């Protein structure tokens, strides 16, 4: 079951009730804003004992590619699926993973 993890004026974040697995982030459309490719953003947190680099390598083998969304120097890795949908692979030390 998915539960609300965080909610604000511009977005809502859901996560498994067991606090494991991906986050689902829903971004609200802002009136007058330029449409964006996708209003859903997925953050993946590898399971305990699984390294971030190994998960990134596995996803690249499945067709993901590196993506730059202006993230700069961060502890997570931004990838895009073959259709261009961006998502992040977090590390256990990522502030977004806490």
């Amino acid at each position: 079951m998915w539960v609300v993890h965080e909610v604000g004026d511009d977005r809502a974040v859901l996560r498994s009730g067991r606090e494991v697995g991906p986050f689902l982030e829903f971004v609200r459309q802002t009136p007058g804003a330029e449409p964006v490719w996708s209003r859903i953003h997925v953050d993946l947190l590898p399971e305990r004992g699984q390294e971030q680099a190994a998960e990134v390598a596995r996803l690249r083998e499945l067709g993901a590619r590196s993506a730059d969304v202006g993230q700069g120097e961060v502890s997570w890795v931004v990838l895009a699926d073959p259709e261009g949908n961006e998502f992040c692979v977090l590390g256990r030390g990522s502030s977004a993973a806490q």
Side-chain angles (χ1 to χ4, degrees), residues 56-68:
V56 168
R58 185 185 76 82
L59 292 165
R60 284 191 173 134
E61 288 176 11
L62 293 170
R65 58 180 170 74
S66 295
D68 184 352

Side-chain angles (χ1 to χ4, degrees), residues 20-62:
V20 297
F23 292 85
L24 292 180
E25 181 176 339
F26 297 90
V27 179
R28 290 187 174 92
Q29 182 73 28
T30 305
E34 186 174 319
V36 294
W37 170 254
S38 175
R39 291 177 42 204
I40 298 175
H41 178 84
V42 176
D43 284 340
L44 302 175
L45 180 63
E47 293 193 31
R48 292 196 189 284
Q50 184 179 13
E51 302 244 348
Q52 178 190 40
E55 181 64 4
V56 168
R58 185 185 76 82
L59 292 165
R60 284 191 173 134
E61 288 176 11
L62 293 170

